[in-house]
Amino acid sequence: MTRQRAIGCRRARLHVPEPVGRCRSVKIMGERVVVVGADATGMSAASQARRMKDASALEIVVFERGGFASFSACGIPYWVGGRVREREALIARTPEQHRARGIDLRMQTEVTAIDLDDSRVRVRPPDAGAETWVAYDHLVIATGARPIRPPLPGMDAAGVHGVQTLDDGRELLETLEWVTGRRAVVVGAGYIGVEMAEALVRRGFDVTVVDRGAEPMSTLDPDMGAVVRKAMCGMGIEIVGNTEVSAIRTGPDGRVAAVVTDTMEYPADVVVLGIGVRPETRLAEAAGLPLGEHAGLCTDLAMRVRGYENIWAGGDCVEVLDLVSGRLRHMPLGTHANKHGQVIGTGIGGGYASFPGVVGTAVSKVCDLEVGRTGVREKDARAAGLQYVTVTIESTSRSSYYPGATPITVKMLAERHSGRLLGVQIVGREGAGKRIDVAAVALTAGMTVEQMTALDLGYAPPFSPVWDPVLVAARKAVTAVRLRG
C-alpha cells in the first residue's frame, strides 16, 4: 500500500499513545488531527478545525517542544526595547485557554519522527521518558523556522543571543540587565537585525551592526538600503558593510568580548544574531516529504503537502508562490502563517479554502525610520526574466507647509512594455511604512502604473500632499515606460 493511501484504509487506532514498537488496537473516537508546532499556523489550524467540527467528530492533539504557544515573535524586539512592558502581552492565548476550547495541547513535548507508512508520529514527553507513537488521520506540520547560527568559534559563548522565542527574549533581557559594559554588536542587518539595533539603542547601548551586504536591509535594492544606512548612522548606529564575521572572541570568564571580522575586531559586551532564518524542515526531510529550492515544504493551494492528501503544512516551514515573479520563495512572516492556519483548519474541517500566494509585502522600523517593501527587487526581476524600468522620487509625508512633514523616498519598478507594477520600496519617517499597502493592493490586482495614477486616495494636508508620494512615483513610472517601452 502506498504512502498516499486513502484515510479509510488505515488501521483503527487507540486514543492513548503507544510505546515504540507495540501494536495498536481499535480507535474509539472520530478522526484525529496531530499538529506539530503550537504557534501561528499550528494553533490557527487547530482553532479553525475545532470551530468547524466538535470533539466527537474531530480529536485535535498539538505537540509543542517549547514552553509557549500562540505568541508574537514579531513583538520580541519591542519587548526587549521596552516598548512592550510585559512578556504576557505577546501571548495571544495560553495553553489553558486552548485546552478549554477542546484542543489537547501538550507543551514541552517534541515530535522526533514521522512514519508516513503507518500514519503516526513519534513523541518524546517532557520528562524525557519513553517515546511513544501517536497515530493521525490528518497531520499538520507547523514547525516554523530556525535562526541561522554559523558554526564559527565562540558562537555558543555566554552573551551571544539569537532572538526567535520568548525564552530567547527573556535570556537576552537578563543579560542586558546585569552586564556592566554598554557595547552591543548586532550581526546581520535584515529585519530582525535593524529592529534589535533599535531595541539596544533604547536600552542605552552603543550599537554596531555588522553585515556581509554592502547596505543594510537586503530585502531592498542597494540604493534604497543606502538611504536606510544614512538614517541609521544619523541615529548613532555604526553600520559596517561588506564584512564577514569570522569568530566571536571571548574573555577570561568565557563571555563574549569582541566580534572578529577579516579586517578588525569590534568590542562587545553583548552580541545579538540577526542573520536570518531557515525553514525548520529537518523532521519533514527525514520523513521523505518534498522540499523546494529554499528547503521549505512544497504545498498545493489548499496547503496540503504535495502528493499527500492528509498531510498539511504552513507558516515559516513552507515555500509560497510569488504572484509577481511566478517563483517559489521563503517568506517567514506571521501574516502568512496565520492565513495558512486558517486555510488548513478549514480544509481539515470539511470546507474549502486556498492560499494563492504573496506579493512579498513587509514593513520594519528602526527608531523613527520606517521601511516598507512589496513586490520584486531589481535582482528578483532579472532572475525572473522580466524587463523593467525603475524610478525613484523624493516627496514628503504631509503637505510641505503642514507642521511635521518629513521626507519620503519611493522607488518603483514597472514592466518595461506593459507598464505592470512589479515592486515598490519606501523609506521615510512617520506615515511612510504603511503606504506600502497601497502598492501591495495594486500588485495583487495586477494593476499597471498608469492605472495607479487614477487611484482615488484620501487627501488632507495632515496626511499627505495633494499627490501622494506613491502616486507621484507611479506618474514618473508611466513616463519611463513610455520612453523605454
Side-chain angles (χ1 to χ4, degrees):
M1 188 173 287
T2 66
R3 290 178 177 177
Q4 294 90 342
R5 61 189 172 183
I7 292 174
C9 295
R10 300 191 190 105
R11 287 176 281 171
R13 299 181 280 274
L14 277 174
H15 169 64
V16 180
E18 325 143 34
V20 175
R22 291 183 59 182
C23 297
R24 292 174 289 180
S25 302
V26 179
K27 179 181 170 210
I28 58 176
M29 299 186 69
E31 288 188 325
R32 178 187 293 149
V33 180
V34 168
V35 181
V36 186
D39 200 10
T41 296
M43 297 317 300
S44 292
S47 298
Q48 177 67 4
R50 173 55 71 234
R51 282 190 285 268
M52 299 188 70
K53 286 188 176 181
D54 63 26
S56 64
L58 196 66
E59 177 193 4
I60 303 174
V61 183
V62 182
F63 298 109
E64 168 56 49
R65 67 182 180 183
F68 298 93
S70 297
F71 67 90
S72 172
C74 300
I76 293 174
Y78 308 108
W79 173 37
V80 172
R83 291 189 180 274
V84 176
R85 293 190 176 274
E86 301 294 334
R87 179 185 65 188
E88 285 64 30
L90 302 182
I91 300 173
R93 281 200 182 96
T94 65
E96 292 74 21
Q97 289 172 320
H98 283 300
R99 292 171 189 136
R101 295 161 62 91
I103 297 170
D104 182 3
L105 174 54
R106 307 182 192 182
M107 303 300 296
Q108 297 180 319
T109 304
E110 184 176 5
V111 172
T112 59
I114 300 171
D115 180 350
L116 298 176
D117 290 325
D118 283 336
S119 300
R120 59 183 186 166
V121 298
R122 191 172 65 207
V123 178
R124 179 183 298 146
D127 60 3
E131 294 189 350
T132 57
W133 287 104
V134 177
Y136 63 79
D137 294 290
H138 297 275
L139 175 64
V140 179
I141 302 174
T143 45
R146 64 183 187 276
I148 297 173
R149 200 176 187 105
L152 299 175
M155 271 292 173
D156 294 325
V160 179
H161 295 269
V163 185
Q164 182 75 4
T165 68
L166 294 184
D167 284 330
D168 295 335
R170 174 185 52 78
E171 292 171 3
L172 175 57
L173 278 171
E174 289 174 355
T175 295
L176 299 181
E177 287 169 1
W178 68 260
V179 71
T180 55
R182 311 307 292 172
R183 300 168 301 182
V185 175
V186 178
V187 181
Y191 291 117
I192 293 297
V194 299
E195 290 170 357
M196 289 309 304
E198 174 187 1
L200 293 165
V201 166
R202 287 180 56 83
R203 288 280 176 179
F205 282 77
D206 297 324
V207 179
T208 299
V209 179
V210 180
D211 190 63
R212 72 169 77 183
E215 303 291 353
M217 302 287 291
S218 62
T219 52
L220 305 176
D221 286 320
D223 54 341
M224 293 297 282
V227 178
V228 175
R229 174 177 50 79
K230 182 178 179 181
M232 292 178 69
C233 290
M235 301 169 192
I237 300 172
E238 182 182 8
I239 307 292
V240 182
N242 287 325
T243 301
E244 290 277 358
V245 173
S246 57
I248 303 295
R249 183 171 63 79
T250 57
D253 58 356
R255 294 192 56 80
V256 61
V259 172
V260 182
T261 72
D262 51 357
T263 57
M264 65 180 299
E265 290 188 0
Y266 297 90
D269 302 295
V270 62
V271 172
V272 176
L273 303 179
I275 304 171
V277 298
R278 292 193 179 101
E280 180 52 278
T281 50
R282 289 174 291 188
L283 185 66
E285 183 180 21
L289 294 172
L291 305 184
E293 177 184 351
H294 307 285
L297 278 158
C298 299
T299 66
D300 62 17
L301 293 177
M303 304 310 299
R304 284 187 175 94
V305 174
R306 292 181 186 173
Y308 298 84
E309 69 172 47
N310 67 321
I311 302 179
W312 316 69
D316 294 355
C317 65
V318 306
E319 297 183 8
V320 293
L321 177 65
D322 184 327
L323 297 175
V324 181
S325 69
R327 299 163 69 94
L328 289 174
R329 298 177 60 186
H330 181 230
M331 290 287 293
L333 293 172
T335 49
H336 306 158
N338 279 283
K339 292 171 186 174
H340 293 167
Q342 289 289 307
V343 170
I344 292 169
T346 298
I348 290 174
Y352 173 74
S354 65
F355 185 81
V358 302
V359 294
T361 307
V363 291
S364 189
K365 179 178 177 293
V366 52
C367 298
D368 64 344
L369 186 71
E370 299 180 6
V371 181
R373 57 94 64 208
T374 190
V376 299
R377 301 162 295 179
E378 289 195 53
K379 71 176 185 179
D380 301 324
R382 290 192 295 269
L386 295 168
Q387 295 186 352
Y388 62 92
V389 299
T390 70
V391 298
T392 302
I393 65 100
E394 303 287 341
S395 185
T396 55
S397 58
R398 305 170 179 175
S399 292
S400 58
Y401 55 80
Y402 192 88
T406 56
I408 285 183
T409 304
V410 181
K411 180 175 182 177
M412 186 170 288
L413 280 72
E415 195 168 24
R416 182 171 180 176
H417 297 286
S418 69
R420 176 172 66 105
L421 180 67
L422 296 179
V424 177
Q425 300 163 36
I426 300 176
V427 178
R429 260 68 184 184
E430 182 182 2
K434 288 297 284 181
R435 273 186 164 89
I436 204 68
D437 289 344
V438 173
V441 172
L443 276 170
T444 304
M447 296 179 70
T448 65
V449 288
E450 187 163 9
Q451 289 172 326
M452 286 184 68
T453 63
L455 287 174
D456 186 13
L457 304 184
Y459 159 70
F463 303 107
S464 75
V466 173
W467 280 90
D468 187 88
V470 173
L471 299 189
V472 174
R475 289 178 64 186
K476 191 170 181 180
V478 168
T479 300
V481 169
R482 288 173 178 169
L483 288 175
R484 298 183 57 190

